[in-house]
Amino acid sequence: MSAQDVVAVSVAVLVPVVTAAAGVVSLLVQDRRMRRSRAGRRQLAFEDATRQVTFAAEWWKARQLIASTPETLHDATTVAQRWLDEASERVNTAERAGADGEPQVSVSRLLLLYRFRHRSAKVIRIGFYGALGAMAYGSLGLLGQAQDGGTRGDLVWGALWTLLIGVLALFLRFWAVSADSAVQRSDR
Protein backbone atom coordinates (compact mmCIF):
# COMPACT_ATOMS: atom_id res chain seq x y z
CA MET A 1 0.00 0.00 0.00
CA SER A 2 1.44 3.33 -1.05
CA ALA A 3 1.28 6.59 0.87
CA GLN A 4 -1.48 7.70 -1.48
CA ASP A 5 -3.58 4.69 -0.51
CA VAL A 6 -2.98 5.29 3.19
CA VAL A 7 -4.16 8.88 2.81
CA ALA A 8 -7.25 7.79 0.89
CA VAL A 9 -8.13 5.14 3.46
CA SER A 10 -7.57 7.61 6.28
CA VAL A 11 -9.82 10.16 4.63
CA ALA A 12 -12.48 7.52 3.96
CA VAL A 13 -12.49 6.51 7.61
CA LEU A 14 -12.19 10.02 9.03
CA VAL A 15 -15.11 11.58 7.12
CA PRO A 16 -17.86 9.65 8.97
CA VAL A 17 -15.99 9.95 12.26
CA VAL A 18 -15.58 13.71 11.90
CA THR A 19 -19.21 14.04 10.85
CA ALA A 20 -20.36 12.10 13.91
CA ALA A 21 -18.07 14.19 16.13
CA ALA A 22 -19.50 17.37 14.61
CA GLY A 23 -23.00 16.04 15.36
CA VAL A 24 -22.09 15.38 18.98
CA VAL A 25 -20.49 18.80 19.36
CA SER A 26 -23.57 20.43 17.85
CA LEU A 27 -25.78 18.57 20.33
CA LEU A 28 -23.61 19.77 23.19
CA VAL A 29 -23.83 23.37 21.93
CA GLN A 30 -27.60 23.02 21.49
CA ASP A 31 -27.96 21.67 25.04
CA ARG A 32 -25.88 24.55 26.40
CA ARG A 33 -28.06 27.07 24.60
CA MET A 34 -31.19 25.41 25.98
CA ARG A 35 -29.81 25.51 29.53
CA ARG A 36 -28.92 29.20 29.18
CA SER A 37 -32.35 29.95 27.74
CA ARG A 38 -34.04 28.07 30.56
CA ALA A 39 -31.92 29.93 33.13
CA GLY A 40 -32.90 33.24 31.53
CA ARG A 41 -36.59 32.34 31.69
CA ARG A 42 -36.21 31.37 35.35
CA GLN A 43 -34.46 34.64 36.13
CA LEU A 44 -37.23 36.61 34.41
CA ALA A 45 -39.87 34.68 36.36
CA PHE A 46 -38.09 35.47 39.65
CA GLU A 47 -37.76 39.15 38.76
CA ASP A 48 -41.41 39.31 37.74
CA ALA A 49 -42.49 37.60 40.96
CA THR A 50 -40.34 40.00 43.01
CA ARG A 51 -41.94 42.99 41.31
CA GLN A 52 -45.38 41.53 41.91
CA VAL A 53 -44.67 40.95 45.63
CA THR A 54 -43.27 44.46 45.96
CA PHE A 55 -46.32 45.92 44.27
CA ALA A 56 -48.66 43.83 46.45
CA ALA A 57 -46.89 45.02 49.61
CA GLU A 58 -47.01 48.67 48.57
CA TRP A 59 -50.61 48.36 47.43
CA TRP A 60 -51.56 46.69 50.73
CA LYS A 61 -49.95 49.52 52.73
CA ALA A 62 -51.81 52.10 50.67
CA ARG A 63 -55.12 50.26 51.13
CA GLN A 64 -54.59 50.15 54.90
CA LEU A 65 -54.10 53.89 54.97
CA ILE A 66 -57.31 54.63 53.06
CA ALA A 67 -59.53 51.73 54.12
CA SER A 68 -62.61 52.97 55.90
CA THR A 69 -64.35 49.72 56.85
CA PRO A 70 -63.21 46.24 57.88
CA GLU A 71 -64.96 44.77 54.81
CA THR A 72 -62.90 46.95 52.49
CA LEU A 73 -59.76 45.91 54.32
CA HIS A 74 -60.80 42.24 54.08
CA ASP A 75 -61.36 42.58 50.30
CA ALA A 76 -57.95 44.21 49.94
CA THR A 77 -56.41 41.37 51.95
CA THR A 78 -58.00 38.83 49.62
CA VAL A 79 -56.68 40.62 46.53
CA ALA A 80 -53.18 40.98 47.99
CA GLN A 81 -53.16 37.31 49.01
CA ARG A 82 -54.18 36.28 45.48
CA TRP A 83 -51.32 38.34 44.01
CA LEU A 84 -48.84 36.78 46.42
CA ASP A 85 -50.11 33.30 45.56
CA GLU A 86 -49.70 34.06 41.85
CA ALA A 87 -46.13 35.21 42.45
CA SER A 88 -45.42 32.09 44.48
CA GLU A 89 -46.86 29.88 41.74
CA ARG A 90 -44.75 31.68 39.14
CA VAL A 91 -41.60 30.95 41.17
CA ASN A 92 -42.63 27.31 41.73
CA THR A 93 -43.27 26.84 38.01
CA ALA A 94 -39.87 28.30 37.19
CA GLU A 95 -38.23 26.00 39.76
CA ARG A 96 -39.98 22.94 38.31
CA ALA A 97 -38.92 23.91 34.80
CA GLY A 98 -35.31 24.20 35.98
CA ALA A 99 -35.47 20.88 37.82
CA ASP A 100 -36.52 18.92 34.73
CA GLY A 101 -33.95 16.40 33.58
CA GLU A 102 -31.30 17.84 31.34
CA PRO A 103 -31.21 16.22 27.92
CA GLN A 104 -28.16 14.05 27.43
CA VAL A 105 -26.31 13.39 24.21
CA SER A 106 -27.45 9.95 23.14
CA VAL A 107 -27.49 7.84 20.01
CA SER A 108 -31.25 8.30 19.71
CA ARG A 109 -30.90 12.09 19.79
CA LEU A 110 -27.91 12.07 17.46
CA LEU A 111 -29.65 9.86 14.89
CA LEU A 112 -33.11 11.41 15.38
CA LEU A 113 -34.62 8.12 16.57
CA TYR A 114 -37.34 9.80 18.61
CA ARG A 115 -40.90 10.71 17.65
CA PHE A 116 -41.42 13.89 15.67
CA ARG A 117 -44.71 15.76 15.80
CA HIS A 118 -44.72 17.52 12.46
CA ARG A 119 -44.87 15.90 9.04
CA SER A 120 -42.23 18.19 7.49
CA ALA A 121 -39.74 17.23 10.21
CA LYS A 122 -40.43 13.55 9.48
CA VAL A 123 -39.79 14.09 5.77
CA ILE A 124 -36.55 15.96 6.49
CA ARG A 125 -35.49 13.10 8.80
CA ILE A 126 -35.92 10.67 5.87
CA GLY A 127 -33.57 12.88 3.85
CA PHE A 128 -31.13 12.80 6.77
CA TYR A 129 -31.17 9.01 6.78
CA GLY A 130 -30.68 9.00 3.01
CA ALA A 131 -27.66 11.28 3.37
CA LEU A 132 -26.22 9.06 6.11
CA GLY A 133 -26.67 6.01 3.88
CA ALA A 134 -25.06 7.78 0.93
CA MET A 135 -22.16 8.84 3.16
CA ALA A 136 -21.66 5.26 4.40
CA TYR A 137 -21.89 3.94 0.82
CA GLY A 138 -19.39 6.56 -0.39
CA SER A 139 -17.00 5.75 2.45
CA LEU A 140 -17.14 2.04 1.65
CA GLY A 141 -16.68 2.80 -2.06
CA LEU A 142 -13.69 4.98 -1.24
CA LEU A 143 -12.15 2.19 0.83
CA GLY A 144 -12.72 -0.23 -2.05
CA GLN A 145 -11.11 2.16 -4.54
CA ALA A 146 -8.11 2.61 -2.28
CA GLN A 147 -7.74 -1.12 -1.88
CA ASP A 148 -8.02 -1.74 -5.63
CA GLY A 149 -5.43 0.97 -6.35
CA GLY A 150 -7.68 3.71 -7.73
CA THR A 151 -6.17 6.88 -9.09
CA ARG A 152 -5.39 9.73 -6.77
CA GLY A 153 -7.87 12.05 -8.46
CA ASP A 154 -10.71 9.54 -8.06
CA LEU A 155 -9.88 9.09 -4.40
CA VAL A 156 -9.77 12.84 -3.75
CA TRP A 157 -13.08 13.42 -5.53
CA GLY A 158 -14.65 10.49 -3.70
CA ALA A 159 -13.46 11.90 -0.38
CA LEU A 160 -14.79 15.35 -1.26
CA TRP A 161 -18.19 13.97 -2.23
CA THR A 162 -18.35 11.94 0.96
CA LEU A 163 -17.45 15.04 2.98
CA LEU A 164 -20.11 17.12 1.23
CA ILE A 165 -22.72 14.45 1.84
CA GLY A 166 -21.67 14.46 5.52
CA VAL A 167 -22.18 18.22 5.67
CA LEU A 168 -25.57 17.77 3.97
CA ALA A 169 -26.48 15.15 6.60
CA LEU A 170 -25.62 17.60 9.40
CA PHE A 171 -27.65 20.34 7.73
CA LEU A 172 -30.66 18.03 7.34
CA ARG A 173 -30.35 16.96 10.97
CA PHE A 174 -30.40 20.56 12.20
CA TRP A 175 -33.26 21.39 9.87
CA ALA A 176 -35.37 18.45 11.08
CA VAL A 177 -34.82 19.36 14.74
CA SER A 178 -35.61 23.03 14.14
CA ALA A 179 -38.72 22.18 12.10
CA ASP A 180 -40.02 19.96 14.88
CA SER A 181 -39.10 22.36 17.69
CA ALA A 182 -40.78 25.26 15.86
CA VAL A 183 -44.00 23.24 15.85
CA GLN A 184 -43.63 22.47 19.57
CA ARG A 185 -43.10 26.18 20.36
CA SER A 186 -46.20 27.17 18.39
CA ASP A 187 -48.29 24.51 20.20
CA ARG A 188 -47.62 26.12 23.59
Side-chain angles (χ1 to χ4, degrees), residues 159-174:
L160 275 174
W161 278 111
T162 306
L163 180 67
L164 287 174
I165 292 170
V167 170
L168 174 67
L170 282 174
F171 170 75
L172 289 173
R173 188 200 174 285
F174 295 138

Side-chain angles (χ1 to χ4, degrees), residues 2 17 21 28 32-33 50 54 60 65 78 82 85 99 104 113 116 118 124 137 156 169 178-179:
S2 69
V17 170
L28 292 173
R32 182 173 182 264
R33 286 182 58 210
T50 302
T54 303
W60 169 246
L65 293 175
T78 305
R82 188 179 70 238
D85 290 342
Q104 299 295 320
L113 297 175
F116 281 158
H118 199 262
I124 297 167
Y137 181 76
V156 169
S178 68

Side-chain angles (χ1 to χ4, degrees), residues 34-78:
M34 284 176 41
R35 280 192 303 273
R36 290 183 71 200
S37 175
R38 212 177 349 234
R41 285 192 304 269
R42 284 182 59 221
Q43 182 179 359
L44 286 175
F46 278 104
E47 289 173 0
D48 193 29
T50 302
R51 282 192 298 271
Q52 190 168 355
V53 167
T54 303
F55 174 76
E58 294 296 322
W59 183 82
W60 169 246
K61 287 177 189 175
R63 290 300 287 188
Q64 282 180 327
L65 293 175
I66 61 170
S68 58
T69 65
E71 283 181 14
T72 309
L73 195 57
H74 178 69
D75 292 342
T77 303
T78 305

